[in-house]
Amino acid sequence: MTRREMTRPETRWAETRWAGAWVAERLGVRLTDGARPVGAGLSDLVGLAVRRNPRRAHLLVSAVLGKHVPTDPRLVYGAGLLLGDLVRARLHGLDVPSRAGSLLVEALGGAPGAAAALRDVLREPQEPLDAVVLGYAETATALGHSVADALGGAYYLHSTRRPVPGFTAYGGFEEEHSHATSHLLLPADPADLDRDVPVVLVDDELSTGRTVLNTIEALHAVRPRRRYVVAALVDLRGDADRARMDALAARLDARIDAVALAAGRVDLPGGILDAGRALAASLPEPAAAPAAGAFPVTRARLDWPPGLPDGGRHGFLPPHRARLEKDLPRMADVLADALGDGFSRVLVLGFEELMYAPLRLAETLADALPDADVRYSTTTRSPVLAVDDPGYAIRTRLAFPAHDDPADGPGERYAYNVSSRFDRIVFVVDDAGDTGLLTGGAAARLRALAPVTIATVPSRGRAA
């Protein structure tokens, strides 16, 4: 393709107003900084939105997760690698590494080249560290995979809400604040998981820590281990929550550590749930999704490497990682050629739990298209209110029917902060989600905004 026909974006997308100010002003939610091991504080890493959930009125919206906010994929991957570096340091009993902290802060501020520099410095070779890394679906599937990448020698598995014939559940646990609580662990080979090596549990945020404690108890009952590390982008636990983790470690005769890019607390006023419901009811209904536009929907054939897992749903080993790294540039070139000419802003959109493959494709595509602004986010199950205000983290919402025949039945799915500012959209799905409901639902909503390229990767639908 003719790269010179692109135009470089002339303005940054970053807003000058904190993306939590709207909620803070109306509901009285306050963030208070605690430890800042890499230099970033809570308000650097999260904004706020209002969720439709009977147990929680607010949603912390991450600036580095790439879930709800289209983000430079190199910042998303770099933040995950940095979290993995904190895990490595804790396992080795070393001081917190600081070499990448300043780059993270610069990248969050939109400094040119900082996101790529953050990722690159953290990809420098280090001695592989054997561990089992578990990520939580749906938001932390790519984050956990990035932590495993940073450790080099780790086996990676993420929980899933998708039962798969031929796979036996190793264990399950409940995410108490979630709108959909059934999680499964479905390793292709349980022996990869059933080892006495450090277990690293990765989530995007630690609110009380109950979910990870439930997980540790369930895992320890099957296979006792001596060492656990809990890793999150932000740690919001209070003293009682930390004491509960210490008590579990003593009862299990194991060591449990926790690391995060930033710590602190979220202060909620009394009656926050009622206030949140009243606020949501007072807002106008979201604008109807645009009708299908005239932009084309095309397909790109990635030729995903045969036998390579699309992520950690059934386990991902170091040899898989080496094979993916080898093939990523080729697949990114396929996407670049499919985009055509005359564009400057590209969104690579992942699909619910399928976050890692789209992230790595987006990150490699961003390197291949230095004159384009490439962003990454994914669709989600989570219903969140959209408010078009620069002090609110969820500005727009697209809603469409689930398109992968989910085990818990049909339902609505969402893509946030996706608008006509993009002039190309690449939608990466697995074959379980590449159905007629995709064509008539999500793809129809997206093609009203920009030309859409669908890239399908094979899900691992049978036991290996």
Side-chain angles (χ1 to χ4, degrees):
M1 65 180 293
T2 310
R3 308 282 201 278
R4 65 175 180 274
E5 294 185 17
M6 302 178 206
T7 58
R8 181 181 296 276
E10 296 179 356
T11 59
R12 283 171 45 193
W13 291 357
E15 301 283 359
T16 56
R17 191 176 185 219
W18 176 51
W22 191 94
V23 174
E25 292 162 2
R26 286 159 179 80
L27 291 181
V29 179
R30 296 288 183 268
L31 302 187
T32 301
D33 274 345
R36 299 167 63 129
V38 296
L42 286 183
S43 60
D44 298 317
L45 291 170
V46 300
L48 291 170
V50 177
R51 67 160 84 213
R52 294 188 184 274
N53 186 306
R55 299 180 183 179
R56 274 187 170 185
H58 70 287
L59 174 71
L60 294 182
V61 180
S62 175
V64 297
L65 187 63
K67 190 63 181 176
H68 303 90
V69 180
T71 305
D72 187 325
R74 294 164 295 195
L75 172 56
V76 176
Y77 192 46
L81 294 176
L82 181 55
L83 183 60
D85 225 22
L86 296 183
V87 171
R88 175 187 288 274
R90 185 60 58 89
L91 286 173
H92 284 316
L94 303 175
D95 293 335
V96 172
S98 60
R99 58 195 176 120
S102 60
L103 288 172
L104 174 66
V105 173
E106 291 174 14
L108 287 165
L118 170 69
R119 177 208 56 189
D120 290 345
V121 74
L122 290 164
R123 288 201 304 190
E124 295 174 0
Q126 298 190 67
E127 183 177 351
L129 194 159
D130 189 14
V132 168
V133 179
L134 300 178
Y136 287 84
E138 72 177 43
T139 52
T141 58
L143 177 64
H145 210 142
S146 303
V147 168
D149 286 354
L151 299 182
Y155 165 75
Y156 179 60
L157 180 74
H158 69 70
S159 67
T160 181
R161 294 189 176 102
R162 180 191 289 177
V164 180
F167 288 89
T168 301
Y170 183 89
F173 46 92
E174 294 298 314
E175 188 175 357
E176 297 180 8
H177 63 264
S178 177
H179 59 282
T181 58
S182 295
H183 290 252
L184 298 169
L185 295 177
L186 301 177
D189 186 351
D192 294 323
L193 177 60
D194 195 18
R195 298 180 294 134
D196 186 11
V197 296
V199 172
V200 183
L201 302 102
V202 183
D203 212 347
D204 55 317
E205 68 177 79
L206 279 178
S207 51
T208 66
R210 286 192 178 95
T211 296
V212 293
L213 296 187
N214 291 345
T215 307
I216 290 171
E217 278 206 274
L219 293 173
H220 204 82
V222 177
R223 175 64 157 92
R225 296 169 174 88
R226 292 167 289 178
R227 191 78 187 270
Y228 298 90
V229 178
V230 178
L233 295 174
V234 295
D235 184 351
L236 309 172
R237 293 173 302 147
D239 292 341
D241 302 318
R242 296 171 189 272
R244 191 179 302 113
M245 182 173 286
D246 292 341
L248 177 64
R251 179 156 57 85
L252 299 181
D253 192 23
R255 178 172 174 177
I256 306 175
D257 292 301
V259 299
L261 298 188
R265 69 176 189 266
V266 179
D267 297 314
L268 304 175
I272 181 72
L273 289 177
D274 289 340
R277 281 192 289 267
L279 177 60
S282 71
L283 297 173
E285 287 295 316
F295 292 109
V297 176
T298 59
R299 289 181 174 270
R301 181 174 173 177
L302 292 175
D303 288 327
W304 187 264
L308 178 66
D310 63 356
R313 182 179 283 114
H314 305 303
F316 204 90
L317 292 159
H320 294 141
R321 187 170 300 116
R323 189 172 183 193
L324 177 63
E325 296 294 341
K326 177 179 178 295
D327 277 79
L328 274 172
R330 174 190 59 77
M331 292 189 286
D333 282 345
V334 170
L335 293 179
D337 290 339
L339 293 176
D341 298 325
F343 62 89
S344 61
R345 295 180 176 91
V346 180
L347 172 66
V348 178
L349 185 66
F351 161 51
E352 296 184 29
E353 292 178 9
L354 183 70
M355 295 184 69
Y356 181 73
L359 169 62
R360 298 305 311 281
L361 287 167
E363 171 225 352
T364 313
L365 183 66
D367 290 341
L369 303 176
D371 294 323
D373 192 349
V374 177
R375 300 279 165 145
Y376 157 81
S377 64
T378 79
T379 66
T380 177
R381 290 170 164 247
S382 301
V384 187
L385 292 175
V387 177
D388 190 14
D389 185 283
Y392 189 84
I394 303 292
R395 304 287 294 275
T396 66
R397 183 182 82 161
L398 292 180
F400 44 87
H403 50 88
D404 62 340
D405 190 23
D408 56 354
E412 205 168 49
R413 302 294 186 260
Y414 311 95
Y416 295 111
N417 292 313
V418 178
S419 68
S420 57
R421 66 185 177 183
F422 296 105
D423 42 35
R424 296 290 190 278
I425 298 173
V426 178
F427 194 12
V428 183
V429 299
D430 63 23
D431 50 16
D434 193 356
T435 66
L437 286 174
L438 166 66
T439 304
R445 302 293 187 272
L446 295 170
R447 73 184 293 252
L449 305 174
V452 177
T453 298
I454 296 174
T456 303
V457 300
S459 62
R460 199 172 182 188
R462 61 181 179 80

